[in-house]
Amino acid sequence: MTGFIYEKNEQDIVTITMDMEGPVNTMNEKYMELMAETIERLESEKDSFKGVIIASAKKTFFAGGDLNNLLAINKGDEEEFFKANEINKQYLRRLEKLGKPVVAAINGAALGGGCEICLACNYRVAINDPKSQIGMPEVSLGLLPGAGGVVRTVRMLGLQNALPLLLEGKRLKPERALKAGLIDELADDANDMIEKAVKYINANPEAVQPFDVDGYKIPGGDLKNPNVLQVAMIAPSMLLKKTKDLMPAPKKILSVAVESLRVDVDTALRIESRGFTSLITSDVAKNMITTFFFQLNELNAGGSRPKEIEKTKVKKVGILGAGMMGQGIAYVSAKAGIEVILKDISMEAAEIGKDYSRKICDKLVSKKRMDGAKKDALLNLIKPVEKDEELEGCDLIIEAVFENIELKKKLFKDTEKYLTKNGVYGSNTSTLPITELSKAVSKPENFIGLHFFSPVEKMPLLEIITSHKTNAQTLAKSFDYAQQIKKVPIVVNDSRGFFTSRVFGTFIDEGCKLLKEGVDPVLIDKLARMAGMPVGPLEIHDEVSQELSKKVAATNRDLDKMIGQEFSDIHLSSVEVGNRMIDEFGRGGRAYGGGYYEYPENGKKYIWPKLYELYHNPEVNLPHQDIKDRILFRQVIESLKCYEEGVFESVINGNIGSIMGIGFPPHTGGVFQFINTYGLNNFVKRVRELSDKYGSDFEVPQILLDRAEKEELFV
Amino acid sequence: MSTPAFIYDAIRTPRGKGKKDGSLHEVKPISLLTGLLKSLQEKHDLDTSKVDDLVIGCVTPVGEQGSNIAKTAVLAAGWDDKVAGMQMDRFCASSLETSAIATMKIMSGWENIVVAGGLESMSRIPLGSNGAPWAEDPQTAMDTGFVPQGIGADLIATIEGFSREDVDAFAVSSQKKAHSAQENGYFDNSVVPVKDENGFTILDKDEFIRPNTTVENLAKLNPSFEFVGSLGFNAVALSKYPHLPAINHVHHAGNSSGIVDGACLLLFGNEKAGKDMGLTPRGRIVSSSVTSTEPTIMLTGPAPATYKALEVAGLTLDDIDLFEVNEAFASVTMRFQKETGVPWEKINVNGGSIALGHPLGATGGILIGTVLDELERQNLRYGLCTMCAGGGIGIATIVERI
């Protein structure tokens, strides 16, 4: 039997066990029916019981809104949606005002709408399972908690405490949910949970919500309290600083949260519904639900992984090169419990690589995010070495030395033999063709590109690059390793610059091109940030360093000769400008004493004054929208070319890769979703405008023309 | 030579019940104004960079209704940065005053297009939230004979001999007239529905009207000012009117102006600016006068202000076709009629604040719009709007339809 099962026991306590069809309980039309019946019955039989326990028959408590349904709501459906949402809220309101104690028995995850059901109970007991999550992550999908989550948390916890939960969409383990005030009590197991629920019911026969009691004081105070008022006044600026006003959801959440304090609960709930409705058909919500829920789930579920191969786990990884990348890979691997052999040319260099992990651990320990034992365990897994033989028995070796083909090839030859049978050989190259590199190994089928991003422990992406010869097992193992170290894997086919580096290159290049055209360098970086990039193209060029660009370019020239094919980066303004910076002015990047910017020891970076002399033309006055579009559209066009050339099969890799690897603005849903939302034909039109004004980098790729003609979205 | 100033339009929100369960309680005060500003702009395809100023009357300009909400509303509505913005307070007379100021600004030749109006969200910013030395500073209160307005209203009724039945009958007639005007769509020309951010209508008509009001059911209500009067305010009032034996407390919620939320805007301009923007004049303010009367009885200003305005305009009472005498309390309008002898048929023909509500800062501008609509409907020429206000102030504004 499925549904909401109503059972009254001999103690006169009613348990409503939510057991909807399908693997989880979710807020859909059926839920509305079930909730309506349940509320009616509870109200009519309320004299016959002492209290109510809301429980779940599933592994999780309740999964929240049905995103398939939410995604299907189109412009024009808003009024109907608003009305339905108001009805849904009325049920929860009636639940909390039943006049008998209602307890949420939270056996597992209660996210989004699930968490909001809990908030509409009078008391919340959760099993203390660190794997279960409680919270309202709606904001990360461009939505707001529209089933009373904003109104109730603000009233129950106070504005200051509620805002971080709502604006960051935090998912909390039960222990932290208790601290945050989202739940009232922890239980050891299901029996303990029910016992505690019963105890509450017996002790509070006429439970009401605290905020429904006259004279209730909101923790921290209401808007008459100067501290709270200050939050209302400062928080908007902090939010805009972060979102550049590109994210409507947190903006609406903050507005509703503050406004909810100015009115009574019922009015506040209606205001919240209006806000929720205003987001539901927004482009950003559609983009974020599409990319961060459906596409990311598909990716994580192994959409790009060969299905027939059994899951594997890496036990021992060898990392060649303990520099910036190698040390980061060592840390994330050890953190996942993998034994790490960290090799460099000297013990000293290898030890320095290991120190990186020690520093991260120390920081976590000092913040009480890690205990000493865990730190020791993690560090014990990393063995710094200088001899190749130590790699014996590794089932994965990752090469992370600098981009020199000959050096890499030599290393492969020297170390391949230490791999276990069918062990995987990975290269963390960001540009060199995997096919070319794999020529150096005896088993190219076991060779693969594993492109990490810096800083490794923070960047969520792993770009996996397969050559024609890479076999399915190798890809599957690499994919599994990515998940083992909690990275999101995208899978791309071998190509010069793969996907992310190629697209990232166009981002920097467009910045340098604008600089060459005379645009104020400050404006270039500012507008890139305002368009949603995490940093500007010139700033980031300083960070990756013009020196590195130069080396990569040189390597690419060697490669051109080797494989008899000219790589497009030869024409790039970023190479021209970067090389000039180094050759004429010795400005190789931040790590080399400065690049486009000066980096004073005690102060903020500022544009190197000479840069203005070299490039700035005050008469150049491009429309800001053109600059923003150029910066984003260049990346999209390059991604289209990648797709056209078969660099990846599914646009999902492009969407996720562009956001997580390059920092393409998340509100767009990624490079391809951006086109869908912009409108294919509008996009073509805009690209043509840009190409008319700014040249051939903005030529419309054929695939876009074809798709636009057929109005076939990139999905 | 002064420049003629025209009224090009007058719009308003519907008036929502000024309590938690009122429809406009969920609407921020700023949104009441921005909704109207956007609507005015769209209706006339207004080039807002040509607007010199927005002058908004607001009696309780604190909190989310505070700090020159006129300027904030200009910004929030996306009007041109050039539009200045001023909030002002002449108690209940505020938006008759903002309309007068707009007219004066234009007549002076100093400005070309001015938007005037008023705002009051009484459900969100309760009356009195801004404090007042007259009421709160004992020295001032005692030296000047402060009593609450309702005492003054009851004092008027006592002096004029209006019985409880009289004032209740007046209230019932206000309800009937307002209901009939609403049913006949007489307010439709001015009322702009209040909508939410999704474009859903929150309120599209005045919701305070109680058409089923009868003298019998009003009789059940307790007088509102009896208790507070008995504490001492009656004595304070009677010390100024020693010939009266006692105050007859006749006013209550049913025959006093309703507490509501609402806002209004009026578009003023000179002839050239109007022409350039393709606007058609609807009327003009002929004169607007303020005066003030004995502060304890407080609410007797309308008649003297009316005579003053007539004199300025060079008109007589007989020239005026329609009167809007704000129904702050029943006795105020009744006294005006008694004092001036204006026939009842000309006064508040579509009801008044008892039935429709009195959103303090917005009422004056609403009266201008109402009288202008009615002059147009009946093809008449002159209307006069008059109000009592705190401290004894009276204001009267003469409107001519064009």
Side-chain angles (χ1 to χ4, degrees):
Chain A
M1 193 173 78
T2 62
F4 283 9
I5 298 142
Y6 187 111
E7 285 165 307
K8 193 171 80 172
N9 68 7
E10 63 284 356
Q11 289 174 273
D12 288 336
I13 288 173
V14 171
T15 300
I16 306 293
T17 307
M18 300 184 290
D19 190 7
M20 298 175 68
E21 229 168 273
V24 292
N25 296 314
T26 167
M27 247 177 216
N28 54 19
E29 253 173 62
K30 187 70 195 168
Y31 161 86
M32 298 273 280
E33 269 173 45
L34 294 168
M35 202 61 180
E37 283 167 23
T38 304
I39 293 293
E40 296 288 344
R41 183 158 176 200
L42 285 173
E43 283 175 345
S44 68
E45 296 179 16
K46 124 178 157 176
D47 295 333
S48 74
F49 56 77
K50 289 200 282 189
V52 184
I53 296 172
I54 309 282
S56 162
K58 311 287 188 192
K59 268 193 226 157
T60 57
F61 178 76
F62 198 99
D66 186 325
L67 289 168
N68 272 310
N69 288 354
L70 292 182
L71 200 58
I73 294 164
N74 290 315
K75 298 230 152 76
D77 302 337
E78 290 97 338
E79 193 134 21
E80 200 183 322
F81 173 80
F82 171 71
K83 283 180 185 152
N85 196 58
E86 281 288 280
I87 293 169
N88 183 19
K89 276 184 169 173
Q90 280 310 314
Y91 298 146
L92 293 177
R93 192 78 183 115
R94 282 158 71 182
L95 187 67
E96 70 187 351
K97 289 172 82 177
L98 189 63
K100 291 287 166 92
V102 180
V103 183
I106 310 165
N107 59 312
L111 291 170
C115 183
E116 292 177 283
I117 293 174
C118 299
L119 291 170
C121 295
N122 302 117
Y123 198 70
R124 290 154 287 278
V125 190
I127 298 179
N128 191 8
D129 174 1
K131 279 190 206 121
S132 106
Q133 293 180 317
I134 299 169
M136 289 164 284
E138 281 87 341
V139 69
S140 58
L141 299 175
L143 302 173
L144 68 72
V150 179
V151 172
R152 290 195 179 87
T153 48
V154 168
R155 275 182 154 70
M156 287 165 55
L157 313 175
L159 187 68
Q160 296 100 313
N161 295 330
L163 281 181
L165 296 175
L166 299 165
L167 290 175
E168 291 159 38
K170 287 187 177 172
R171 299 155 180 252
L172 305 175
K173 293 173 192 172
E175 235 173 44
R176 296 194 62 201
L178 178 70
K179 265 189 202 148
L182 277 180
I183 58 169
D184 299 295
E185 200 174 357
L186 292 174
D188 300 329
D189 53 36
N191 286 337
D192 187 34
M193 173 170 70
I194 298 304
E195 263 173 44
K196 283 174 167 156
V198 170
K199 200 174 149 205
Y200 172 83
I201 288 170
N202 286 326
N204 298 274
E206 287 170 0
V208 283
Q209 295 293 47
F211 48 77
D212 279 328
V213 178
D214 273 347
Y216 172 68
K217 290 209 164 47
I218 292 169
D222 60 16
L223 289 166
K224 288 185 200 98
N225 180 304
N227 295 328
V228 178
L229 191 60
Q230 201 169 9
V231 171
M233 286 163 68
I234 305 288
S237 68
M238 289 166 67
L239 184 69
L240 289 184
K241 183 179 170 190
K242 209 167 121 191
T243 67
K244 311 288 184 291
D245 207 8
L246 296 168
M247 302 280 199
K251 193 175 174 182
K252 194 49 96 179
I253 289 172
L254 178 57
S255 308
V256 171
V258 171
E259 221 197 319
S260 75
L261 287 172
R262 300 198 189 270
V263 293
D264 59 293
V265 180
D266 293 295
T267 305
L269 287 168
R270 193 162 58 250
I271 290 169
E272 184 193 85
S273 293
R274 294 192 190 282
F276 187 28
T277 306
S278 77
L279 297 172
I280 197 75
T281 58
S282 70
D283 289 341
V284 175
K286 300 273 181 222
N287 289 341
M288 292 179 92
I289 294 171
T290 301
T291 302
F292 294 118
F293 188 78
F294 290 105
Q295 296 193 347
L296 188 57
N297 279 355
E298 193 177 327
L299 207 63
N300 285 333
S304 315
R305 182 190 184 277
K307 298 206 174 17
E308 63 284 4
I309 293 159
E310 228 175 280
K311 270 219 157 201
T312 57
K313 268 193 169 176
V314 169
K315 289 185 201 76
K316 185 173 174 185
V317 61
I319 297 165
L320 308 182
M324 186 174 70
M325 298 308 290
Q327 59 197 11
I329 301 168
Y331 171 75
V332 295
S333 299
K335 196 173 170 227
I338 302 170
E339 192 185 340
V340 176
I341 305 298
L342 183 58
K343 184 195 165 300
D344 210 311
I345 45 166
S346 69
M347 250 335 251
E348 201 192 349
E351 282 286 1
I352 290 172
K354 180 173 175 173
D355 278 345
Y356 183 73
S357 288
R358 191 170 288 122
K359 276 181 204 148
I360 297 176
C361 290
D362 286 343
K363 218 177 188 179
L364 289 173
V365 170
S366 77
K367 282 186 185 165
K368 299 207 168 122
R369 302 267 299 272
M370 184 185 257
D371 61 34
K374 273 207 179 129
K375 171 188 152 184
D376 292 345
L378 191 154
L379 292 176
N380 282 339
L381 283 170
I382 304 174
K383 186 177 179 193
V385 304
E386 60 178 349
K387 291 201 180 77
D388 287 352
E389 302 89 87
E390 305 269 5
L391 295 165
E392 184 65 50
C394 284
D395 45 1
L396 170 67
I397 291 178
I398 301 170
E399 163 277 309
V401 301
F402 61 90
E403 302 281 55
N404 179 306
I405 307 167
E406 291 317 313
L407 171 71
K408 287 188 192 237
K409 284 188 171 176
K410 182 178 179 301
L411 271 179
F412 300 155
K413 274 188 195 127
D414 293 348
T415 56
E416 190 190 4
K417 56 180 174 268
Y418 299 113
L419 268 181
T420 55
K421 190 170 172 258
N422 291 327
V424 171
Y425 209 114
S427 169
N428 177 47
T429 178
S430 59
T431 48
L432 303 174
I434 298 304
T435 313
E436 181 59 34
L437 292 179
S438 73
K439 285 178 184 163
V441 293
S442 64
K443 289 184 188 156
E445 65 273 18
N446 293 348
F447 194 87
I448 200 159
L450 298 175
H451 179 204
F452 286 85
F453 296 79
S454 174
V456 178
E457 71 279 7
K458 286 195 182 130
M459 297 292 280
L461 194 72
L462 179 63
E463 185 178 27
I464 299 176
I465 305 110
T466 58
S467 80
H468 319 297
K469 290 183 180 163
T470 307
N471 67 19
Q473 274 89 355
T474 301
L475 172 57
K477 280 185 192 169
S478 303
F479 193 97
D480 296 342
Y481 167 67
Q483 295 197 317
Q484 203 179 344
I485 58 170
K486 300 212 159 58
K487 298 291 173 201
V488 175
I490 60 165
V491 178
V492 308
N493 294 318
D494 198 11
S495 122
R496 299 287 295 266
F498 320 132
F499 169 61
T500 53
S501 301
R502 217 172 126 175
V503 175
F504 185 63
T506 61
F507 168 54
I508 296 183
D509 182 53
E510 199 57 31
C512 291
K513 223 165 79 194
L514 285 159
L515 183 70
K516 263 172 59 186
E517 288 171 26
V519 179
D520 185 335
V522 169
L523 194 63
I524 298 170
D525 279 347
K526 274 267 169 60
L527 289 175
R529 283 171 181 258
M530 284 169 71
M533 296 301 296
V535 286
L538 302 178
E539 301 171 271
I540 198 71
H541 202 189
D542 270 10
E543 296 292 335
V544 296
S545 87
Q546 288 80 349
E547 283 286 355
L548 183 68
S549 296
K550 189 177 176 182
K551 272 182 206 143
V552 170
T555 305
N556 278 327
R557 295 297 76 73
D558 291 347
L559 207 61
D560 287 348
K561 276 181 221 148
M562 197 181 293
I563 59 181
Q565 170 208 61
E566 191 181 84
F567 186 38
S568 58
D569 74 336
I570 198 160
H571 309 293
L572 292 181
S573 300
S574 54
V575 175
E576 181 199 317
V577 175
N579 286 357
R580 186 177 179 200
M581 292 290 286
I582 300 167
D583 299 341
E584 290 183 34
F585 308 103
R587 299 189 69 82
R590 182 174 187 170
Y592 299 86
Y596 307 120
Y597 286 83
E598 290 272 44
Y599 299 88
E601 214 166 287
N602 301 311
K604 282 195 170 170
K605 69 179 177 193
Y606 57 90
I607 294 285
W608 176 52
K610 177 97 176 163
L611 198 64
Y612 279 98
E613 273 176 50
L614 294 175
Y615 293 107
H616 184 224
N617 177 359
E619 275 159 38
V620 171
N621 201 2
L622 303 187
H624 289 184
Q625 192 59 46
D626 282 12
I627 296 177
K628 286 187 195 169
D629 283 354
R630 282 176 64 172
I631 285 164
L632 295 188
F633 279 57
R634 257 310 279 289
Q635 301 180 61
V636 177
I637 291 169
E638 196 65 23
S639 303
L640 282 164
K641 287 183 190 161
C642 288
Y643 190 38
E644 206 164 39
E645 292 164 20
V647 174
F648 39 74
E649 273 106 53
S650 153
V651 297
I652 295 178
N653 291 288
N655 282 334
I656 301 284
S658 65
I659 294 173
M660 294 187 173
I662 310 165
F664 197 77
H667 73 277
T668 63
V671 279
F672 294 105
Q673 182 62 20
F674 181 55
I675 308 173
N676 294 342
T677 305
Y678 202 95
L680 297 174
N681 284 300
N682 291 340
F683 197 86
V684 170
K685 201 174 136 220
R686 182 62 178 147
V687 174
R688 286 201 170 120
E689 283 168 13
L690 293 173
S691 78
D692 286 348
K693 280 169 97 171
Y694 305 110
S696 61
D697 286 332
F698 295 97
E699 257 162 40
V700 185
Q702 189 58 41
I703 190 168
L704 177 61
L705 281 179
D706 296 346
R707 289 291 185 97
E709 200 176 318
K710 289 183 278 181
E711 290 187 30
E712 187 187 339
L713 296 177
F714 290 95
V715 288
Chain B
M1 253 322 258
S2 64
T3 316
F6 296 111
I7 304 170
Y8 286 103
D9 207 356
I11 58 171
R12 67 176 177 95
T13 67
R15 280 165 274 191
K17 202 173 154 195
K19 297 226 168 96
K20 272 182 193 174
D21 60 347
S23 296
L24 298 184
H25 181 57
E26 64 168 289
V27 182
K28 292 180 279 194
I30 183 89
S31 305
L32 292 176
L33 272 185
T34 53
L36 289 181
L37 286 166
K38 284 179 189 161
S39 163
L40 190 69
Q41 192 280 327
E42 282 164 20
K43 190 171 166 191
H44 300 291
D45 194 17
L46 206 63
D47 175 357
T48 58
S49 71
K50 300 282 193 294
V51 177
D52 294 290
D53 204 357
L54 172 69
V55 190
I56 291 298
C58 179
V59 177
T60 321
V62 294
E64 51 175 347
Q65 198 165 259
S67 289
N68 189 5
I69 194 160
K71 180 62 219 185
T72 314
V74 161
L75 299 175
W79 278 34
D80 196 277
D81 286 354
K82 279 185 201 148
V83 185
M86 168 168 76
Q87 170 268 320
M88 51 144 294
D89 173 18
R90 196 194 278 288
F91 300 136
C92 303
S94 292
S95 56
L96 278 185
E97 189 58 53
T98 56
S99 301
I101 285 176
T103 301
M104 293 178 211
K105 277 169 170 264
I106 290 157
M107 287 178 77
S108 69
W110 290 1
E111 291 180 3
N112 300 316
I113 298 267
V114 178
V115 178
L119 160 75
E120 211 76 43
S121 175
M122 301 182 76
S123 71
R124 288 177 71 129
I125 309 293
L127 180 63
S129 305
N130 48 345
W134 202 29
E136 295 175 7
D137 171 41
Q139 183 78 50
T140 308
M142 290 188 285
D143 288 350
T144 58
F146 168 77
V147 303
Q149 287 193 343
I151 302 284
D154 287 339
L155 190 55
I156 292 174
T158 308
I159 292 170
E160 302 298 337
F162 302 145
S163 68
R164 170 73 185 256
E165 290 70 31
D166 295 337
V167 286
D168 283 354
F170 177 81
V172 170
S173 113
S174 177
Q175 294 285 1
K176 294 217 153 41
K177 287 188 281 183
H179 177 64
S180 147
Q182 186 178 57
E183 291 289 292
N184 288 314
Y186 295 168
F187 301 137
D188 295 356
N189 184 44
S190 301
V191 170
V192 176
V194 175
K195 297 188 173 185
D196 76 355
E197 66 256 60
N198 304 296
F200 307 159
T201 297
I202 294 175
L203 184 67
D204 61 2
K205 58 176 192 177
D206 299 313
E207 69 173 352
F208 194 78
I209 308 174
R210 291 182 185 81
N212 300 325
T213 306
T214 60
V215 175
E216 290 70 42
N217 56 36
L218 286 184
K220 290 175 198 142
L221 296 173
N222 290 324
S224 301
F225 305 99
E226 192 158 28
F227 173 69
V228 73
S230 72
L231 296 177
F233 285 121
N234 284 351
V236 173
L238 289 171
S239 72
K240 292 209 175 173
Y241 298 85
H243 63 286
L244 297 176
I247 292 179
N248 184 19
H249 291 289
V250 297
H251 287 98
H252 51 74
N255 56 27
S256 308
S257 55
I259 289 172
V260 293
D261 302 332
C264 70
L265 288 181
L266 296 98
L267 177 60
F268 290 91
N270 63 29
E271 192 175 5
K272 183 178 180 302
K275 249 189 202 141
D276 290 349
M277 297 173 86
L279 301 167
T280 313
R282 291 181 61 194
R284 68 181 184 105
I285 290 181
V286 185
S287 68
S288 184
S289 298
V290 286
T291 184
S292 211
T293 53
E294 197 278 299
T296 298
I297 196 166
M298 209 188 305
L299 312 172
T300 56
T306 295
Y307 290 120
K308 196 172 167 185
L310 287 168
E311 195 184 331
V312 172
L315 297 170
T316 66
L317 271 178
D318 290 340
D319 293 323
I320 305 299
D321 301 302
L322 294 169
F323 291 81
E324 285 293 328
V325 185
N326 188 39
E327 297 170 359
F329 298 91
S331 66
V332 174
T333 308
M334 291 169 73
R335 174 174 161 133
F336 174 85
Q337 193 278 331
K338 198 172 164 189
E339 221 176 327
T340 58
V342 170
W344 273 119
E345 295 73 38
K346 286 188 177 185
I347 298 175
N348 299 359
V349 297
N350 292 325
S353 291
I354 289 174
L356 292 156
H358 177 21
L360 310 179
T363 307
I366 292 177
L367 293 183
I368 295 179
T370 303
V371 86
L372 200 52
D373 283 338
E374 191 61 19
L375 290 171
E376 286 171 353
R377 197 180 71 78
Q378 294 195 35
N379 203 15
L380 299 171
R381 186 168 179 193
Y382 288 113
L384 184 144
C385 308
T386 181
M387 308 176 80
C388 58
I393 294 174
I395 188 168
T397 302
I398 299 175
V399 179
E400 181 185 13
R401 179 181 69 90
I402 290 170

